[in-house]
Amino acid sequence: MDFELTDEQKAFRETLRAFVDKEIVPVATEWEHSGRYPAEIVDKMKQMGLFGLSVPEEYGGMAADMVSFALVFEEIARGWMGVAGTIGSHSLACWMIARHGTEEQKRRHLPDLASGARRTAIALTEPGAGTDLQGIQTRAVRDGDHYVVTGTKTWITNARHADPLPVLVKTSIAEPAHKGMSVLLVDPATPGFSVSRDLPKLGYKGTETCEVVLDEVRVPVSALLGGVEGRGMQQVLGGLELGRVNIAARAVGVAQAAYDAALGYARERTAFGQPIADFQAIQLKLADMATEIQAARLLTYWAASQADGGRRVDMEAGMAKYFASEVALKATLESMRIHGGYGYSQEYVVERLYRDAPLMAIGEGTNDVQRMVIARALVSGKGKVGW
């Protein structure tokens, strides 16, 4: 049993850490508050090859192992969680195309997506269907060699940059509902496709989050992911396992940043003639934070390493996402408490971390859903804890 990163993973982490500390941390607070899009940071991530994380090497990608994948999102989220979003849904969509796409779809899309020349995202959620993906209403009706797509998708990260945009649709009204669901790779230049608005958010700023309208958009049949109807739900659920490792790692990064800020402040802030870090009440908070963050990190790396073994990790990724996101919520609040009134000020990083943390408990399937996924795996015998 080895709890150490490989030499390659350690070197990769150090490269990421240096990038985050130099390029993201100094500007994150100012750019986040002003609503500035982090274009310069995105360009540097392209140069580093990070848009090719989940793209096979034969198409120009990095083909990163899942632990290295988690390291990327942990380190970037430690600097600015919003920036992590620009490659989060992109990486999930790239994985889906690489795993399920036809050879023509892979050759057409993956090289540009790996370099960042083009970006992508994934359109699942609808105004009336979030957790219940089988309840989506977006329809794709076959018309000769095209599908005519009508519907609305919401909470779409990278919507203004996605080319193509994988869209979960119903290609037939089948029972059970998942048998009639497919994914179409939609060209955003197609008439009838529009980004209708940007959604106002509590946190997770920097990257755009939008509503997308498809009004009788004609999509060629060749854009059906994998070339076979009715496999969309299966394709999406496999991708969401990757997405939950991503979210868990982001949560660890946010929690780590909150802890670092709290520890630094406690050492510098004095009260009653001594640093507040000397007070037992503060020490207990720091001890709890550090212990829980390390537990969340190890759970996330464990889920990632299990995925590297090529097996389904719905339970493991669900555990990591559920636990790490709850730790992030608690750590950011405790950090704010240690900062006192300054923690509520926009002059300190902790208020941004506090606003970013709740998304991880909601996105990629709410934590209540994760608990149900975990429980079903345990009850069915497909998953277990212990040796």
Side-chain angles (χ1 to χ4, degrees):
M1 185 177 295
D2 187 356
F3 290 96
E4 289 292 323
L5 300 175
T6 66
D7 289 342
E8 292 79 7
Q9 289 165 344
K10 289 178 182 177
F12 186 49
R13 182 187 61 188
E14 292 309 308
T15 298
L16 291 165
R17 187 163 294 173
F19 162 68
V20 169
D21 288 342
K22 179 181 178 183
E23 305 291 347
I24 299 180
V25 171
V27 300
T29 296
E30 178 186 348
W31 289 10
E32 198 263 2
H33 289 159
S34 68
R36 189 183 191 282
Y37 188 80
E40 296 90 338
I41 296 173
V42 170
D43 286 342
K44 288 184 172 64
M45 291 196 297
K46 291 179 185 178
Q47 296 168 16
M48 295 173 69
L50 297 183
F51 281 90
L53 275 175
S54 58
V55 177
E57 292 180 352
E58 63 189 287
Y59 301 103
M62 187 183 297
D65 64 88
M66 285 299 297
V67 173
S68 296
F69 178 86
L71 288 170
V72 170
F73 290 97
E74 177 184 345
E75 287 299 323
I76 293 178
R78 180 180 61 83
W80 184 2
M81 207 276 284
V83 171
T86 62
I87 56 172
S89 56
H90 171 94
S91 297
L92 192 159
C94 286
W95 181 91
M96 287 175 54
I97 295 171
R99 182 70 175 266
H100 301 293
T102 65
E103 187 56 39
E104 190 278 332
Q105 289 168 346
K106 295 175 186 178
R107 289 197 307 268
R108 180 180 178 186
H109 298 300
L110 290 178
D112 278 354
L113 294 176
S115 70
R118 287 191 285 140
R119 284 182 254 167
T120 186
I122 186 165
L124 307 179
T125 303
E126 299 185 3
T131 297
D132 179 20
L133 286 179
Q134 295 188 62
I136 66 168
Q137 298 298 311
T138 299
R139 287 296 313 278
V141 179
R142 182 74 178 261
D143 181 22
D145 58 358
H146 285 77
Y147 291 100
V148 179
V149 184
T150 301
T152 300
K153 296 291 183 177
T154 193
W155 291 105
I156 312 305
T157 298
N158 275 353
R160 296 189 183 279
H161 295 88
D163 177 18
L165 177 64
V167 179
L168 184 65
V169 301
K170 285 189 174 178
T171 43
S172 69
I173 305 300
E175 291 295 340
H178 68 84
K179 291 188 175 181
M181 301 172 73
S182 305
V183 173
L184 296 176
L185 305 176
V186 179
D187 181 344
T190 308
F193 181 99
S194 64
V195 177
S196 59
R197 66 188 180 110
D198 289 81
L199 299 173
K201 300 171 291 185
L202 171 69
Y204 189 46
K205 299 182 180 181
T207 187
E208 79 277 22
T209 305
C210 305
E211 186 173 84
V212 172
V213 175
L214 301 105
D215 183 9
E216 297 189 352
V217 176
R218 294 184 65 83
V219 180
V221 171
S222 61
L224 173 66
L225 183 63
V228 179
E229 289 187 5
R231 296 184 179 174
M233 193 65 167
Q234 174 189 358
Q235 294 164 347
V236 164
L237 290 179
L240 287 177
E241 291 180 14
L242 181 88
R244 286 164 185 160
V245 172
N246 158 12
I247 295 297
R250 287 198 225 180
V252 172
V254 168
Q256 182 69 49
Y259 167 79
D260 290 342
L263 179 61
Y265 183 81
R267 286 169 169 167
E268 295 173 0
R269 177 69 170 176
T270 59
F272 307 103
Q274 59 184 312
I276 64 172
D278 290 345
F279 298 138
Q280 189 176 63
I282 300 298
Q283 292 175 351
L284 295 178
K285 290 181 184 296
L286 292 170
D288 286 347
M289 291 170 69
T291 302
E292 291 168 2
I293 291 166
Q294 189 63 3
R297 176 176 288 111
L298 292 175
L299 192 58
T300 300
Y301 292 2
W302 169 68
S305 66
Q306 293 296 299
D308 277 330
R311 54 189 291 266
R312 286 291 305 271
V313 292
D314 49 346
M315 183 189 78
E316 293 87 343
M319 284 180 169
K321 187 267 184 189
Y322 161 50
F323 184 77
S325 61
E326 294 294 334
V327 168
L329 284 168
K330 183 178 177 182
T332 55
L333 178 57
E334 289 301 286
S335 183
M336 183 173 285
R337 285 173 166 158
I338 289 172
H339 280 77
Y342 287 115
Y344 204 65
S345 167
Q346 289 189 344
E347 294 180 345
Y348 285 73
V349 70
V350 66
E351 67 86 27
R352 168 165 56 84
L353 300 172
Y354 180 75
R355 288 185 288 107
D356 281 344
L359 180 63
M360 269 83 75
I362 300 168
E364 238 52 14
T366 67
N367 280 357
D368 285 340
V369 168
Q370 304 312 313
R371 293 161 69 195
M372 290 189 289
V373 168
I374 295 163
R376 287 170 183 167
L378 295 172
V379 171
S380 69
K382 293 180 180 178
K384 66 176 183 178
V385 295
W387 304 110

